[in-house]
Amino acid sequence: MPIENERLLETLSSLDGVAGQEKTVGEAIAARLREIGLQPETDRMGNITARREPAAGGSPFHALLCAHMDEVGLLITEITADGYLKFSPAGGIDNAVLPAKWVRIGGELPGVVGIKAIHLQKMDERKKLPETDAFYIDIGAASREEAEKQVKLGDMACLVGGWHELGADLVMGKALDDRAGCALLLELLAAEQPCRLTGVFTAQEEIGLRGAQVLANRIQADLVVVLEATAAADVLETEAEETVTCLGRGPVCSLMDAGTIYPPELIKLITDCARTAEIPLQYRRGAAGANDAGALQTAGAGQRVITLSLPCRYIHTMRSVASRTDYANWKKLVINLLERLSSPEESARFSRETSGKDAGKQ
Amino acid sequence: MTTPEENWRLLRELTAAFGPSGREDEARRLIAAAAAPYADETREDVLGDLIVTRRARGAADGRRIMVCAHMDEIGVMVTHIDENGFIRFSPVGGFQAARLEGQRLRFQSGLTAVLVRQHPGAGQDSAAPPRFYLDAGLSPAALSEAGVGVGDMAVSAVEMTETAGTVSGKALDNRVGCFILLETLRRVQSRHDLYFVFSAQEEVGARGAKTAAFALAPDLAYIVDATIADDIPRNPVVRLRLGGGPAVKVMDRSVIIAPARREAVAALARSAGIPFQWEIIDQGGTDAGPVQLSRGGVPVAGLAVPTRYIHTPAETAAKADILLARDLLVRCLEADMD
């Protein structure tokens, strides 16, 4: 099953947007929003917001959909006398991913993460993974002075990865976490919707839900739907009870993670949506990690949140792999959910008016 | 002061109620029913907090006090059921499987299962952290029939036991706080508007108290919780002991109480002849943290019941401390505000 707008996903996934430096991704998203006739607004954290009112006769139910723009990367912390760049990870990156990888600094300057050739390693060095501070980026500069002409401390290096097809149904991209969510959100904003939709492309999720924190102070909705890419662990030597999600088994509904316990009545509604529309659905088995839902649930007097994700292998590397069929089903599920929530019955059940009133100001 | 037998029955019912973080419905219903005769208004918010309003009596001074005790307890959530019906889980809050080996857990549907340490497997690294599962003795189909599936939660299945001087069981953290709030609610005559918040999701990071505090925007807040009593064998430095009176909070990982606030509570205790202990804990945060930081900041104070073996099914507290905490809380709420 094709992704309707696969070019869009490819473009977004390939752009560099390490946490805190999402500008390029934000500009591409804003341009697309203007193309579809919406007015993007950017706040001080770099979150981009666009609103879409329903057609005449639509439901007043207000859904806030969000996807984060940022990806994990490396922040340059030091330039050595030899012209090498030391770095600190921005977001969670496995050191095993780093050695000998091609990086891009500031969206253009190429570099490589240096590693001692196997010939030069001592026996014990071959057996264990180096600490982060043993790594460096080589940009081919001969000295600190030469490197300083091209790089400043605080610049971000982004792992480089292209776009490839893998087998019949899978695609491999650099930053599917969470450009897949961004692409889906753009698709949803481009179409007529049955209720009020606010779409937010958030900044700095990977380093602690920071964009969402500010967003939460500004906008409150009847329901927040976080569109994420989540870890698929259907990989070798992982037992069934440890596979958080699997590729090809449909979109993922979260039950609990480190930031949020999701409301059972919403999990039930989503399960029911999937069953009725014959969309495969999996629950996220595993409670590690957190996403923007954590910041949004406890903002103000609280709001209802749910996370619907695309399962993704090799997440937080530049080779994330996802299924086109899952993507198509993910989209179907979100559209289905919005339709259900726009019915008078569910709209009444889940609107802010029916819960969370200010108990102090009667 | 004596308390009739039936009040300990209320604490027994409170500890028995099912209510892990995010699934507090049963505990909330029980508390709402117990509070109803004394409540001017009762409501629930999005996070699952129960907010019971008791308006000022007599010459109202227009001040608003939030009194908060969390009603959720630690537990587990089912993440996977294998083809033989063995249940894998994730902890909800500070649930330590290693301390509950061999204990029975109960699901909301009533089904119980035993917590078992997984065999490491032939030739496996015995130094690897142990893993656990639940065994209800049922097939996946039978589990489903018994109302247990992925996403459901379970809590300890033990019932409260009582001696002349102590109570012991699961979820004293923090049904003992809920009990104190309910007992206070039926006694208190205050010139302030009182908002009794039975908060949700404290054990996973004080989430309910955060939204309740925002909604209420109180002038002052008291947080009532169970805290660690460490008067146990071979502990060289005992900070809090059973029977030493309620603990008045100085600090925990999430909050430092303003000296004037804790002194105000201490002064009320002294004038009423209520013994108390200072609570200084360097592990664990409480609802006091997010409440203090709500909106432009809220003055907070904390009372706690010293409890041994916190986060086990054998949490143990002294009845005298519980009643004295209640008496002190009533005085705090009836006192004039500066």
Side-chain angles (χ1 to χ4, degrees), chain B residues 141-200:
Chain B
L143 280 172
S144 170
E145 191 80 2
V148 171
V150 169
D152 285 329
M153 292 189 185
V155 300
S156 165
V158 304
E159 288 183 6
M160 190 181 96
T161 56
E162 220 181 305
T163 68
T166 62
V167 288
S168 179
K170 68 128 175 137
L172 279 181
D173 174 11
N174 182 33
R175 303 293 161 68
V176 73
C178 299
F179 176 77
I180 289 167
L181 259 60
L182 288 169
E183 287 285 296
T184 297
L185 178 62
R186 40 189 236 139
R187 283 174 171 72
V188 71
Q189 296 295 327
S190 176
R191 297 170 53 222
H192 323 301
D193 286 328
L194 304 179
Y195 300 91
F196 290 80
V197 176
F198 299 88
S199 63

Side-chain angles (χ1 to χ4, degrees), chain A residues 240-242 255-256 258-262 264 285 287 297-298 300-304 355-360 362, chain B residues 21 23 41 43 46-47 51 53 55 64 77 79-80 88 90-92 131 150-151 195 207 210-211 214-216:
Chain A
E241 70 258 23
E242 292 168 359
L255 305 171
M256 173 174 79
T260 313
I261 294 173
Y262 296 91
R285 301 181 295 279
Q297 183 183 40
T298 59
Q303 54 191 340
R304 284 199 177 87
S355 61
K357 277 186 187 163
D358 185 337
Q362 299 125 12
Chain B
S21 312
R23 303 285 190 278
E41 193 184 328
R43 62 173 74 207
V46 172
L47 271 278
I51 301 172
T53 305
R55 294 208 183 80
R64 302 148 50 77
M77 179 191 266
T79 55
H80 180 76
R88 306 289 164 162
S90 280
V92 176
R131 314 192 56 158
V150 169
Y195 300 91
R207 296 177 192 157
K210 180 169 184 255
T211 59
F214 183 92
L216 293 169

Side-chain angles (χ1 to χ4, degrees), chain B residues 69-139:
Chain B
H70 73 87
M71 62 181 161
D72 63 316
E73 61 184 307
I74 57 169
V76 300
M77 179 191 266
V78 177
T79 55
H80 180 76
I81 296 172
D82 75 14
E83 66 277 14
N84 297 313
F86 295 120
I87 301 165
R88 306 289 164 162
F89 58 85
S90 280
V92 176
F95 182 95
Q96 299 155 283
R99 296 176 74 170
L100 277 92
E101 206 182 333
Q103 295 266 356
R104 293 201 83 78
L105 302 192
R106 182 170 65 85
F107 292 92
Q108 191 153 18
S109 70
L111 184 74
T112 68
V114 67
L115 193 144
V116 185
R117 180 188 296 254
Q118 180 175 305
H119 188 275
Q124 294 298 302
D125 179 8
S126 58
R131 314 192 56 158
F132 298 87
Y133 60 89
L134 296 174
D135 186 354
L138 295 178
S139 68

Side-chain angles (χ1 to χ4, degrees), chain B:
Chain B
M1 186 180 294
T2 57
T3 291
E5 178 64 23
E6 68 261 27
N7 286 4
W8 297 114
R9 194 181 309 148
L10 173 63
L11 180 59
R12 178 185 298 273
E13 287 169 10
L14 286 168
T15 61
F18 181 90
S21 312
R23 303 285 190 278
E24 296 93 352
D25 329 38
E26 195 178 307
R28 188 169 48 238
R29 275 196 298 273
L30 176 65
I31 292 166
Y38 314 99
D40 291 319
E41 193 184 328
T42 302
R43 62 173 74 207
E44 183 190 328
D45 77 2
V46 172
L47 271 278
D49 299 312
L50 178 72
I51 301 172
V52 175
T53 305
R54 184 168 167 89
R55 294 208 183 80
R57 299 296 194 263
D61 72 348
R63 309 298 279 273
R64 302 148 50 77
I65 303 183
M66 170 177 174
V67 197
C68 181
H70 73 87
M71 62 181 161
D72 63 316
E73 61 184 307
I74 57 169
V76 300
M77 179 191 266
V78 177
T79 55
H80 180 76
I81 296 172
D82 75 14
E83 66 277 14
N84 297 313
F86 295 120
I87 301 165
R88 306 289 164 162
F89 58 85
S90 280
V92 176
F95 182 95
Q96 299 155 283
R99 296 176 74 170
L100 277 92
E101 206 182 333
Q103 295 266 356
R104 293 201 83 78
L105 302 192
R106 182 170 65 85
F107 292 92
Q108 191 153 18
S109 70
L111 184 74
T112 68
V114 67
L115 193 144
V116 185
R117 180 188 296 254
Q118 180 175 305
H119 188 275
Q124 294 298 302
D125 179 8
S126 58
R131 314 192 56 158
F132 298 87
Y133 60 89
L134 296 174
D135 186 354
L138 295 178
S139 68
L143 280 172
S144 170
E145 191 80 2
V148 171
V150 169
D152 285 329
M153 292 189 185
V155 300
S156 165
V158 304
E159 288 183 6
M160 190 181 96
T161 56
E162 220 181 305
T163 68
T166 62
V167 288
S168 179
K170 68 128 175 137
L172 279 181
D173 174 11
N174 182 33
R175 303 293 161 68
V176 73
C178 299
F179 176 77
I180 289 167
L181 259 60
L182 288 169
E183 287 285 296
T184 297
L185 178 62
R186 40 189 236 139
R187 283 174 171 72
V188 71
Q189 296 295 327
S190 176
R191 297 170 53 222
H192 323 301
D193 286 328
L194 304 179
Y195 300 91
F196 290 80
V197 176
F198 299 88
S199 63
Q201 303 194 26
E202 190 269 357
E203 296 288 1
V204 291
R207 296 177 192 157
K210 180 169 184 255
T211 59
F214 183 92
L216 293 169
D219 297 308
L220 173 63
Y222 289 97
I223 313 299
V224 183
D225 208 337
T227 190
I228 301 162
D230 53 2
D231 55 337
I232 49 173
R234 311 199 75 162
N235 180 14
V237 184
V238 173
R239 287 182 176 176
L240 289 173
R241 61 188 181 85
L242 256 54
V248 177
K249 188 180 287 295
V250 176
M251 64 165 281
D252 62 38
R253 282 285 292 276
S254 68
V255 74
I256 293 173
I257 305 295
R261 280 263 70 79
R262 68 171 200 246
E263 270 308 321
V265 176
L268 288 169
R270 288 188 198 102
S271 71
I274 297 172
F276 67 93
Q277 320 176 58
W278 294 117
E279 181 201 16
I280 302 174
I281 53 172
D282 45 22
Q283 46 185 314
T286 60
D287 281 343
V291 172
Q292 184 184 46
L293 297 182
S294 184
R295 293 183 185 255
V298 175
V300 291
L303 294 180
V305 175
T307 306
R308 286 187 199 143
Y309 322 123
I310 277 221
H311 289 185
T312 76
E315 292 175 338
T316 302
K319 287 177 176 174
D321 293 341
I322 299 170
L323 299 181
L324 289 169
R326 173 203 62 192
D327 295 347
L328 182 51
L329 181 61
V330 169
R331 281 165 201 277
C332 289
L333 300 180
E334 291 181 347
D336 285 335
M337 282 176 71
D338 40 66

